[in-house]
Amino acid sequence: MFHRSIWLATAVAAWAAVQGAPVAAETPPDTLIQAWSIDDIISLDPAEVFEFSGGEMLGNSYEPLIGYDVDDVSNVYGKVADSWEVSEDGKTITFKIKPGLKFASGNPITAEDVVFSLVRAVKLDKSPAFIITQFGFTPDNVEEKIRATDDMTVAFEMDKPYASSLVLYCLTANVAMVVDKKLVMEHAEGDDYGYNWLKTNYAGSGPFVIREWRPNEAVVFERNDNYHGDAPAMKRVIYRHIPEPSTQRLLLEQGDIDIARDLGPEEIEAMKSNDDIKIDEGVKGSIYYLGLNQKNEYLSNPKVAEAMKYLVDYQAIADTIMSGVAQVHQSFLPKGFLGEIDDAPYSLNVEKAKELLTEAGYPDGFSVTMDTRNTADITAIAEAIQGTMAQAGIKLELIPGDGKQTLTKYRARQHDIYIGQWGPDYQDPHTNASTFAYNPDNADDAASKPLAWRNAWDIPELTQQTDAAMMEGDAKKRAAMYEDEQRQVIADSPFVVMFQQVEVAAERKGVNGFVLGPSFSDNSFVGVTKE
């Protein structure tokens, strides 16, 4: 059990600096301490986690059926699965489970655990469930369609012959992480599948155990002694919620943390001359965008949406506020994905925006609100947009909140405008098409709630196109379909896609082996060593 004394001993340096007390010279040699904004964590349950920070937590502590090489995402391999075979009709994939694997609890991993994990995700029907349910699974049929055929074999029977690469990539997602059925069900309450317990606890098999989560404060990991792979060098890893970039820089330079994760351009530039610090970076699949709620009378006018796309100074923001940490990008597929395009037709043009607002019937503009996560980067971008919007008469009131607050409001589509980030759930173009260009039911009580739904964008024709693209087996034809969809979304959608993230981590020079992967779930501290 994780004891309070251990927590205090390992976290004292970060605490002392934040409180203004004398600080320690360095972190313990067997402990990695990171500073990062982790206020977006809502849950630790793989069936529910749908946020960047939470995804990273799961990626280092759970294992899915399938994985891929972060340096070559086309290289797909088994994690919990040892092998798989696709049936002749393309509707069933049969997985063999690796023998000898154990959960952190010591319980063996069997086909029953894999089935339970996937069935549980469908039955609970939390935000990421659609990644699995899109293959024809429902709470009523999932136990029949996803089943164990023996102790180490799982049949995954879909309603249609989907592109097999799409299915495998979906099974790398957080929602497909394998959980310990025996342990989870020991904590079940009624028919909740252990949800109330797993929301704040741990039942995985990855290299680290999530030992403690204190919302808006810290997440603590300890090495999993039952992990089947190479034992990590770090005994313990601590994430500290420290949202201020300047504070992160101070702690890093003093040696009170090992890695700073939220540094802005000024901090990064200043530390490049520090021989005790090294800067690591990697292009992420996550994109920054505005979502315009179509329930708002102003924002539902297509001319207004188009005007707003001309009221963002993309390049200026990329060159200043987001220098080194983002690139201008205006399509929903990130660079590196099948079917990506580099179209960027919009730039700041206040006069054009005014013409469009006049055509829309609002020559004097109007007032709307924008929900803004109170991190340094999002706040700065929001304030810059607030200024350029004002030049065309649009009065934009910023409503700050932490990640959980703004996401909860957004998911209930109670916003006017939302500024945020979206990261792919898996390395297939359908992951973003199925949220930006897909909305099968625009009702408030819809089962599927992608980003198009969150912004009340009713798009039956585009939804059909997205469905067709996920069935196309020819890669070239499939890429062309996504190219067409992106151009439709750029021109007609209530999304103002602005940037693709370049993630930057500043590390003490003795820290080695930290990986910045293409998605946040791929960010890994498993191989970290400290000199």
Side-chain angles (χ1 to χ4, degrees), residues 263-275:
L263 300 177
E266 292 183 6
E267 289 80 20
I268 294 168
E269 188 61 33
M271 287 195 294
K272 285 181 178 178
S273 59
N274 188 332
D275 292 338

Side-chain angles (χ1 to χ4, degrees), residues 38-46 48-55 57 126-128 195-196 198-201 213-216 219 373 402-411 418 454:
I38 56 173
D39 61 334
D40 62 332
I41 301 177
I42 293 173
S43 172
L44 296 176
D45 188 334
E48 185 174 34
V49 168
F50 214 37
E51 299 75 40
F52 291 141
S53 300
M57 306 302 143
K126 301 300 179 182
S127 294
Y195 168 72
N196 287 324
L198 196 54
K199 193 176 180 74
T200 56
N201 286 281
W213 166 38
R214 296 182 179 186
N216 292 350
V219 182
R373 185 183 177 194
D402 65 27
K404 182 176 181 179
Q405 290 170 333
T406 55
L407 274 171
T408 299
K409 185 176 178 182
Y410 185 41
R411 287 172 176 171
Y418 175 82
R454 290 186 196 177

Side-chain angles (χ1 to χ4, degrees), residues 2 29-31 60 104 202 206-211 220-227 229-237 525-526 528:
F2 185 82
D30 64 351
T31 300
N60 287 276
Y202 172 77
F208 282 88
V209 171
I210 302 175
R211 186 59 67 195
V220 182
F221 295 78
E222 287 186 345
R223 187 168 54 211
N224 176 11
D225 292 332
N226 280 323
Y227 180 56
D230 295 335
M234 294 295 102
K235 180 180 180 180
R236 187 174 299 108
V237 175
F525 53 74
V526 175
V528 166

